[in-house]
Amino acid sequence: MILGIDIGTTTTKAVTIENGKLTRKVKTKAVDAVTAATGAFGKIVLENGIDINLIEKIKITGAGAGKIKNDIFGIPTDRVNEIDAIGIGGMFLSGERNIIITNIGTGTVIIEAGDKGISHFGGSGVGGGTILGLAKKLLPTAEFSGILELAKTGNMSQVDLLLSDITDTSISFLSGENTAANFGKMLDTAGPQDIAFAVINMVYQVIGVLSVFAARARNTDRVIVTGNGSNNPIGQKILSGITGMYGIKFIYPEHAEYTTAVGAGIFKT
Ligand SMILES: Nc1ncnc2c1ncn2[C@@H]1O[C@H](COP(=O)(O)OP(=O)(O)OP(=O)(O)O)[C@@H](O)[C@H]1O
Ligand SMILES: [Mg+2]
């Protein structure tokens, strides 16, 4: 059994890999990397009654992995580059190759993975952390579930300047309901629901369009979406609007929040 641990900026994920299969997973949160890694280790072992003698290796990755210099509890511990981990994990969970992977975590990283290897295409500081940070100052809640609940009934035309606000005609493939400027209108009547939706909308529009450009540059029409941000129903709806405009499909593999941990676990070191 191999244990893959992804010490992310916000959350730490741990998975077990047995005979090349993902068998168990846990998510946890901690303030420092050592507590995060040992906490995730303890959680997956205790919650599942795992005999630790069966763990041959631990493979750690993610922003905090560099802080763990030694073996964890005497079990051989390897470090895996995060870009490789996302690439391998994204191909494994989606069953696809020669693809763009957009990992929406605290920030966003875009990776190309396939027969020619795995490489860092680029990314953006816009991600899940942007939603939480803006919510702290703009919304009555910065709890993720609370933000989503508010956004469900939000009206984006209260906040965003839409194309229909500035012109009567469509521009190229854009129609009246498309955003001309995120937060470019912000009416006095805009309420928390509207602002919550507009924050999520801005983040996923930016990520979506960057992903489209990456996919087009690499001649593919498929983008695998991973990270905790893949699990956001409103975000998925916004990305499907981008598919409607640009013809690029967004694919959400099962267990996509664990992609980086899974990729570390199955990476051959
Ligand atoms: N239930 C949830 N609880 C906390 N955060 C959530 C939840 N659902 C979605 N998120 C979002 O997911 C983001 C964290 O995603 P993820 O765990 O993939 O990132 P990370 O791996 O910690 O960071 P990075 O990969 O950028 O280093 C948070 O910023 C938050 O906006
Ligand atoms: Mg991550």
Side-chain angles (χ1 to χ4, degrees), residues 6-13 27-29 62-64 82 86 103-109 124 127-133 142-145 147-148 204 226-232 256-258 260:
D6 164 27
I7 309 166
T9 312
T10 310
T11 60
T12 293
K13 283 72 71 181
K27 215 184 268 181
T28 177
K29 225 175 218 180
E82 185 171 3
I86 296 170
N103 186 74
I104 312 173
T106 312
T108 300
V109 57
S124 166
T130 313
I131 297 174
L132 295 183
E143 278 290 324
F144 207 81
S145 54
I147 301 168
L148 280 181
Y204 282 84
T226 63
N228 245 329
S230 66
N231 219 355
N232 178 330
E257 313 103 272
Y258 296 91
T260 316

Side-chain angles (χ1 to χ4, degrees), residues 94-106:
S94 68
E96 303 216 17
R97 291 183 77 78
N98 300 320
I99 37 158
I100 291 290
I101 302 168
T102 295
N103 186 74
I104 312 173
T106 312

Side-chain angles (χ1 to χ4, degrees), residues 14 42 48 55 119 123 141 149 157 163 188 194 208 241 245 255 262 269:
N48 296 287
I55 304 174
S119 60
T141 176
E149 195 52 42
S157 71
L163 222 64
D188 288 343
D194 307 322
M245 282 195 280
H255 313 306
V262 169
T269 46

Side-chain angles (χ1 to χ4, degrees), residues 118-266:
I118 293 164
S119 60
H120 184 188
F121 187 92
S124 166
V126 168
T130 313
I131 297 174
L132 295 183
L134 289 173
K136 271 191 195 154
K137 291 289 183 188
L138 298 176
L139 297 177
T141 176
E143 278 290 324
F144 207 81
S145 54
I147 301 168
L148 280 181
E149 195 52 42
L150 281 174
K152 267 190 200 163
T153 51
N155 176 359
M156 124 176 156
S157 71
Q158 290 280 312
V159 180
D160 280 11
L161 190 68
L162 303 182
L163 222 64
S164 57
D165 293 319
I166 53 174
T167 174
D168 290 335
T169 53
S170 55
I171 299 176
S172 167
F173 53 85
L174 299 176
S175 61
E177 74 272 14
N178 287 130
T179 300
N182 294 94
F183 284 76
K185 185 154 51 168
M186 194 56 96
L187 295 178
D188 288 343
T189 49
Q193 285 91 344
D194 307 322
I195 295 171
F197 183 83
V199 166
I200 297 175
N201 182 54
M202 177 176 68
V203 165
Y204 282 84
Q205 280 185 347
V206 169
I207 293 169
V209 170
L210 288 176
S211 304
V212 164
F213 294 164
R216 286 194 171 167
R218 292 297 178 261
N219 291 315
T220 173
D221 61 356
R222 300 164 84 70
V223 173
I224 309 298
V225 187
T226 63
N228 245 329
S230 66
N231 219 355
N232 178 330
I234 296 176
Q236 289 189 3
K237 217 164 157 199
I238 291 156
L239 293 180
S240 80
I242 304 248
T243 300
M245 282 195 280
Y246 295 93
I248 301 288
K249 274 196 209 77
F250 294 94
I251 295 152
Y252 307 93
E254 202 181 353
H255 313 306
E257 313 103 272
Y258 296 91
T259 301
T260 316
V262 169
I266 59 179

